[in-house]
Amino acid sequence: MSTTATAPLHESEIEEHEALDEDYVLTPAFVEKVVDAADDGDGLRLRGLLEDLHPADVADLMGFLTAEHRAVVVLWLPPDLLAETLPELDDGIREEVLERAPHGTLAEALQELDSDDAVAVVEEMEDDQRERVLAAMPDVERAAIEHALAYAEETAGRLMQREVMAAPQFWSVGDTIDHVRAQGEDLPELFFDVYVVDPLNRPVGGVPISRLLRAPRATALAEIMEPVNEITVDQDQEEVAYVFEKYHLISAPVIDEGGRLVGQITVDDIVNIIQEENREDILRLAGVSDEDRGSSVSEIVRGRVPWLAINLATAALGASVIAFFGATIQQVVALAALMPIVSAIGGNAGTQALTVTVRALATRELNSSNARRTFGRELMVGLANGLVLAPLIGVAAALWARDWRMGAVIATAMVLNLLVAATVGVLTPLTLSKLKQDPAVSSAVFVTATTDFFGFLIFLGLATAVLL
């Protein structure tokens, strides 16, 4: 029996293998090893630690590091790993990495990416850096990126992947399979359909790869193709995401103004768009700008202070109502303890109605055809909530203040303010949407201000009329 001799591993090599085997997941110990290597300027050790990581793990690692350590790490990322990592990075960190990476390395990395990912990276570069990086790329790749950048932001033209597999409608299954196999490295990295086109390169149908492989070779494509949902280059990415979600698409062809096939959009791009839009809406509902792990303190403060200032102004409206009824509060001190309850419940109920309405608008479940029905339903929900909660707080307030009139006042005020909350929670985003404004941006501030204002006004107004 023969044996094959192998050279013993050096101690440092053993340590590297153990680092990858034991610390592949980004544990604190693994991150510390990367930090130590960056501090020592040990590029070879950095490359050994990072080269076998998944690009998504490298992107997460970048978020754990300081800007100084990222500046060292990015210099030692192989171009192919850098290429796959760039689309995974948070926006702020990606901008920083792009500034640090050598132009030649970036140009080489972009050639490793599909056209849609390459465009997404290039569009975030500063103009001077973009020019230098594109100048270092081959003419064909550069022209493709520049052509995509000519489309408006957040449109299908920017989002699409130019690599696409198409076949004329007179081909057979065998012709198509042979053509696909002959493409080799020129094949799109990810595709699900072969689009059938007419002589003018306009899509007339599509054949899923799974159906293509099951059909006999002699079968004509025209016999097994199915209709496709075409996306125009100027279509907004939110509209594209809606089409994918509604029709359960995996991919769709993109056409230009003349109806010619120019690219495709796949479901992985749509998942990213949906996550982006949901993230933006959640942040805007909270009055927070788009920030990530790479945002500086000054950037976060600049994003949050304007909304806090608006909240301060709206809070002053509620305070003005309290000041107006100052004499009433002086005579019935218990009102000061009870009035926050009415405004707080109203604010929470308004936020619930607002969140449901904004989501329904975003998913196209709410429009002018069912707006009246939705508004009526939320009013009934507000009334029902009020009728459930009002007796509880009314009895508690009456027992605490030893005055049944106090219980009646706060119970009535709560029912009325919950109706106000339902009204503004639905009508505010509907109105903003009608005015072509983003309903997620300022709705929450307006709803909270309105429920506070009317909560204090109704409660203190009733108290003045009934108790004095």
Side-chain angles (χ1 to χ4, degrees), residues 402-436:
R402 297 181 180 179
D403 188 341
W404 67 267
R405 294 177 303 168
M406 179 68 76
V409 165
I410 192 171
T412 304
M414 180 168 290
V415 172
L416 294 177
N417 201 31
L418 285 174
L419 291 175
V420 170
T423 300
V424 297
V426 175
L427 293 186
T428 298
L430 280 175
T431 302
L432 289 173
S433 179
K434 194 74 173 178
L435 297 174
K436 307 300 182 183

Side-chain angles (χ1 to χ4, degrees), residues 195-228:
Y195 298 114
V196 183
V197 296
D198 66 10
L200 295 179
N201 200 41
R202 296 175 300 195
V204 295
V207 180
I209 295 297
S210 59
R211 179 177 297 180
L212 184 74
L213 295 177
R214 288 198 302 264
R217 287 181 59 86
T219 305
L221 292 182
E223 295 180 15
I224 60 173
M225 70 180 185
E226 56 188 31
V228 291

Side-chain angles (χ1 to χ4, degrees), residues 46-254:
L46 279 174
R47 180 164 290 186
L49 288 167
L50 302 177
E51 63 184 358
D52 289 335
L53 288 179
H54 190 280
D57 289 328
V58 177
D60 274 347
L61 175 64
M62 289 293 197
F64 296 140
L65 302 177
T66 64
E68 292 76 15
H69 291 131
R70 282 196 292 265
V72 177
V73 170
V74 70
L75 297 177
W76 291 95
L77 284 176
D80 56 341
L81 180 56
L82 175 62
E84 296 181 28
T85 300
L86 285 172
E88 304 286 344
L89 293 169
D90 291 339
D91 293 342
I93 296 177
R94 186 189 299 125
E95 292 177 8
E96 186 182 308
V97 168
L98 291 174
E99 292 174 1
R100 301 284 188 177
H103 299 134
T105 303
L106 283 176
E108 187 178 348
L110 290 175
Q111 296 173 53
E112 301 289 335
L113 294 174
D114 286 334
S115 57
D116 54 339
D117 291 330
V119 170
V121 171
V122 171
E123 68 182 352
E124 294 188 11
M125 296 180 181
E126 298 292 337
D127 292 340
D128 57 340
Q129 184 189 31
R130 181 185 303 170
E131 291 177 5
R132 289 195 294 270
V133 171
L134 290 177
M137 297 181 66
D139 293 342
V140 174
E141 285 82 354
R142 181 177 70 249
I145 292 177
E146 290 174 342
H147 186 266
L149 291 173
Y151 295 112
E153 292 185 10
E154 298 187 348
T155 62
R158 282 283 185 97
L159 184 64
M160 72 178 179
Q161 175 183 334
R162 297 178 65 85
E163 298 84 8
V164 63
M165 187 54 61
Q169 58 190 126
F170 59 83
W171 272 12
S172 68
V173 168
D175 296 331
T176 306
I177 292 176
D178 292 341
H179 174 72
V180 169
R181 288 173 176 169
Q183 298 307 301
E185 295 183 358
D186 293 333
L187 278 174
E189 182 177 344
L190 182 68
F191 71 103
F192 304 97
D193 299 279
V194 173
Y195 298 114
V196 183
V197 296
D198 66 10
L200 295 179
N201 200 41
R202 296 175 300 195
V204 295
V207 180
I209 295 297
S210 59
R211 179 177 297 180
L212 184 74
L213 295 177
R214 288 198 302 264
R217 287 181 59 86
T219 305
L221 292 182
E223 295 180 15
I224 60 173
M225 70 180 185
E226 56 188 31
V228 291
N229 295 86
E230 298 172 350
I231 305 294
T232 59
V233 290
D234 58 352
Q235 204 162 342
D236 185 85
Q237 64 181 23
E238 285 193 56
E239 178 70 23
V240 176
Y242 171 71
V243 171
F244 265 71
E245 185 177 7
K246 180 177 180 180
Y247 296 108
H248 310 292
L249 303 182
I250 297 178
S251 67
V254 181

Side-chain angles (χ1 to χ4, degrees), residues 334 338 391-404 406-408 410-411:
L338 295 175
L392 300 177
I393 187 61
V395 172
L399 294 175
W400 178 68
R402 297 181 180 179
D403 188 341
W404 67 267
M406 179 68 76
I410 192 171

Side-chain angles (χ1 to χ4, degrees), residues 67 70 96 288-306 308:
R70 282 196 292 265
E96 186 182 308
V288 179
S289 63
D290 193 10
E291 57 192 50
D292 52 45
R293 291 179 293 184
S295 302
S296 65
V297 173
S298 60
E299 290 172 337
I300 295 174
V301 170
R302 285 197 302 271
R304 297 186 186 184
V305 162
L308 292 176

